[in-house]
Amino acid sequence: METWNADIASLLYRPLDGVMPFRLLRLHPGKPSEPLITELIPASVDEADGQYEATSYTWGSPANPCRIKCNDFNLTIQRNAFDMLHDLRQRDEPRVVWVDAICIDQSNLEERASQVSIMHHIYRRAKRVVVWLGKPDEYSSLAMPYAAGLDAPKLIAEPQELGLHGRINAWEVYSRKPYFFDPERETESSEHQTLGIALIKFINRPWFNRIWVQQEAALCRHTRVVCGEQEVEWDNVYALAWMVTPRSVEVYPDYISENQNGILNNLAAIQHIQRRRRQQFGDSHWHEKGRTNISPFSACIADVGRFGATDPRDKMYALQCFAEDSNEWFEVDYRVPWEILYTDVARRFLQQGILGFLKSAGRVRQKPDSILPSWAPDFRDGNWGSSIIEENPAWMAGGPKTDWASACPGKAAGSVHNLPKRHRKRLNLPDNLKNFKDTRKCLLQSYANFKCMMSDEIIYIADIVEDPFDVKATLDVLRSDLQYIEKLESQTYLNGESITDAYKLTLILSSNRDQLPVDSKYARDNWDDWIRWLEDPLMTRNNMPIWEYSMESAEAIHSFRFAMTRHGFFCLVPQATKLHDVVSIFVGYPLGVITRPWQPPSMHMKGSKDSQGTPEGIEETDYFEFIGDSYIHGMMRNEARCIIEEFNCKHNPNPAQLNKMLKASDSGNGEAWKTLGLHGGYERILETLGDHLVKLV
């Protein structure tokens, strides 16, 4: 797309001068059958204040581009932009709009950067923002009138209570919200099902998932949503989204075939937009408390993995509107490769002690062709639900955490260093990165030191259930796991639970459907009912047992696998995990992590591979790859740090150090365990604890 208009760019796009200069597009009137005729008008944001409409749309595929007449030149544009202009053109009078793909010279990287830097001003100062969702279809023709008919002020007031600190908690709001797919509805007509399908298809339109729309739809009070000839106010679209937002960890009815993670991502994106609009346009509570729509960059980046972008760099650059300190993290520059931008941002987070970026890092979340270090986030695909363990607010496996929103300079969680030359020269970079002249390029051939307090090797891992609807395969995996753990020497888990109760609770992250903690009694009361339900050939979701809701919340069987370590930790791990991978706890990170010994190209494998494709007899290495997150049963509430400090645990203790720890433990009966309030069974994991550094490549 950048080269489409190279032959006319210098003639059509005159240099922009002055304070916040930009171009507007005059869309001349015409009938639907007539060609599109437009004119670029140089202006400044101050001069044009309130005199134009800013458009928000998805660029779409570059396939099948179209031509319009612009200042007497034939200008090639994306099909989506062409269709939008057709829909917005008026019959009798011109319309002045701002369209990024046309008003910015896309072949000029410097101009793109400068215009992106003032984009929030362009949307904020517009007379109106027009959201164009795409061409109409059978679903939008039902969804748009439904949205228009909703009592938007009433529906908007309900979720606003979530922002009122101390007044009500989220569970109460969601538990009593109206829900289009209410399972308690007495009857569900075919018309209701048809409308339900239409609403979900409508919410799944690509526009809702794009990173740029977070500012485009949030900055102007007057925002209209257009689909074909139908228009509604933004508030009505938000009300529709609230109606189809599940009350808790519910799944949609069987007749909804859309991917649930995608739906929930889009609903979360809409919630983000509405929250920012509320902060900006007069929710009295937010203004009384002195809150604004400007936050630290570290807070803004938390959810970018949910959103899509044509250019991966825009995942960062689109945040400058809401991040008061964005200029301290990056400079908008489209010459910088996205790989370097992402890795440099991760380095800065690591230096400030914020490890939230790891939720978007790791080999399970990076694309197969990625050259990113395993510790660098890959925000590209917007598939937030993939290989994600939904974090419980009470978890702090690595001790008190520094979250996204509270950077603490001076409390670094690690550091970044160049790999030795013998390894670095074998990590080949593509030509575009080799030719990039910037010292930050070395980040792609670096390793990061992470502060670690626990490590243990995986010695058992469950089979993968390929098909989430394959009940037989699910039951086979459960039986195989139980048969394995029932042969263990100790039938008591380290926290005092029976070994089978601990296994069952691991599968549901020790939480019920509402993310409230549960114990062995919950397992004993509900497990057998769930197994009978699975074994019943006539089972339906109408009689789904409580345990199934907890399983779906944890996504244990279908997105993760059960694993056990050498010293007896029960874990949920990503499906890509292998035998001999390592379960660890990083200081300041709320979840457990999986790392894998790294074998650089300069090191040779010795021996064959085991049944899971893991090389046997590999040479020892100082480096590891970050694979992904894990849940470690009995270790999610800061137990590791408490035990380390109580027993003065050392990493890889020598015999004298180990004997000292065991003596204080007194076979699990020592006074120290009573002081900690922990079961003496934790004695068996003392050898796995101790502060040390892990080098991630």
Side-chain angles (χ1 to χ4, degrees), residues 133-202:
L133 293 181
K135 300 297 286 182
D137 58 21
E138 60 184 300
Y139 307 114
S140 65
S141 65
L142 294 175
M144 291 286 281
Y146 176 81
L150 292 172
D151 186 350
K154 178 178 182 296
L155 292 170
I156 286 174
E158 294 174 353
Q160 281 186 359
E161 295 178 6
L162 293 174
L164 305 184
H165 178 68
R167 180 180 297 185
I168 196 167
N169 66 46
W171 167 242
E172 290 181 74
V173 173
Y174 278 92
S175 65
R176 57 181 173 78
K177 71 178 288 292
Y179 184 42
F180 184 88
F181 301 102
D182 192 338
E184 297 181 5
R185 184 184 299 273
E186 292 185 6
T187 59
E188 194 169 47
S189 65
S190 60
E191 291 81 5
H192 187 270
Q193 291 188 12
T194 300
L195 178 57
I197 293 170
L199 298 183
I200 296 300
K201 291 281 189 181
F202 180 78

Side-chain angles (χ1 to χ4, degrees), residues 307-382:
F307 309 126
T310 302
D311 189 320
R313 292 165 289 200
D314 287 338
K315 294 289 190 86
M316 302 292 104
Y317 297 160
L319 297 180
Q320 63 171 346
C321 164
F322 304 110
E324 59 190 355
D325 58 345
S326 62
N327 62 331
E328 298 175 15
W329 289 82
F330 59 79
E331 177 184 351
V332 177
D333 186 347
Y334 285 96
R335 293 168 298 188
V336 178
W338 69 266
E339 297 93 338
I340 292 175
L341 177 65
Y342 284 10
T343 308
D344 191 38
V345 165
R347 175 185 63 84
R348 292 167 184 262
F349 275 123
L350 185 63
Q351 291 175 341
Q352 296 200 30
I354 302 176
L355 299 185
F357 67 89
L358 288 177
K359 293 183 176 66
S360 296
R363 295 309 186 202
V364 298
R365 288 186 284 270
Q366 295 172 347
K367 295 185 178 180
D369 61 343
S370 174
I371 62 158
L372 290 171
S374 66
W375 51 271
D378 190 344
F379 297 119
R380 284 180 294 169
D381 65 4

Side-chain angles (χ1 to χ4, degrees), residues 374-575:
S374 66
W375 51 271
D378 190 344
F379 297 119
R380 284 180 294 169
D381 65 4
N383 190 11
W384 182 250
S386 176
S387 302
I388 296 290
I389 292 179
E390 285 295 337
E391 181 186 333
N392 189 301
W395 290 347
M396 51 179 197
K401 61 181 178 178
T402 303
D403 62 23
W404 287 105
S406 55
C408 294
K411 288 191 175 182
S415 55
V416 178
H417 309 272
N418 288 335
L419 278 166
K421 187 174 181 180
R422 69 181 185 279
H423 297 331
R424 194 168 63 244
K425 68 182 182 180
R426 289 177 170 81
L427 294 178
N428 292 322
L429 299 178
D431 289 341
N432 68 309
L433 290 169
K434 284 181 181 178
N435 299 329
F436 179 66
K437 306 299 182 184
D438 192 299
T439 56
R440 290 173 294 174
K441 180 169 63 175
C442 66
L443 288 171
L444 300 178
Q445 297 173 317
S446 66
Y447 69 90
N449 276 330
F450 283 78
K451 296 177 181 177
C452 182
M453 65 172 81
M454 187 279 280
S455 296
D456 202 16
E457 179 189 5
I458 291 175
I459 61 169
Y460 172 82
I461 191 164
D463 291 334
I464 295 175
V465 178
E466 301 285 356
D467 181 358
F469 299 103
D470 190 339
V471 175
K472 181 180 181 303
T474 299
L475 288 168
D476 287 344
V477 167
L478 296 173
R479 291 175 185 130
S480 178
D481 289 349
L482 286 168
Q483 287 173 5
Y484 178 84
I485 65 173
E486 287 168 357
K487 295 177 182 177
L488 296 175
E489 181 177 349
S490 173
Q491 287 298 298
T492 302
Y493 191 62
L494 54 90
N495 63 1
E497 296 167 346
S498 75
I499 208 77
T500 54
D501 284 349
Y503 167 75
K504 295 167 186 176
L505 291 171
T506 300
L507 297 184
I508 61 169
L509 309 176
S510 292
S511 304
N512 63 14
R513 63 188 291 185
D514 305 321
Q515 283 200 317
L516 298 175
V518 295
D519 56 18
S520 293
K521 185 177 184 302
Y522 185 83
R524 292 192 295 269
D525 289 347
N526 296 292
W527 176 270
D528 291 341
D529 287 342
W530 179 60
I531 294 297
R532 283 192 290 269
W533 179 76
L534 287 177
E535 293 174 337
D536 184 356
L538 301 178
M539 73 169 185
T540 67
R541 299 194 67 83
N542 294 331
N543 62 346
M544 196 163 76
I546 291 175
W547 194 272
E548 176 64 14
Y549 285 106
S550 299
M551 290 292 292
E552 290 181 355
S553 173
E555 297 187 334
I557 294 294
H558 306 128
S559 298
F560 297 88
R561 309 163 73 180
F562 171 76
M564 193 184 91
T565 69
R566 185 170 301 283
H567 289 82
F569 291 113
F570 285 2
C571 312
L572 277 186
V573 300
Q575 289 191 356

Side-chain angles (χ1 to χ4, degrees), residues 39 48 118 174 192 229 269 304 543 578 587 590 604 626 670:
E39 177 187 357
I118 66 168
Y174 278 92
H192 187 270
E229 296 182 355
V304 297
N543 62 346
K578 299 178 180 179
V587 175
H604 298 285
F626 177 50

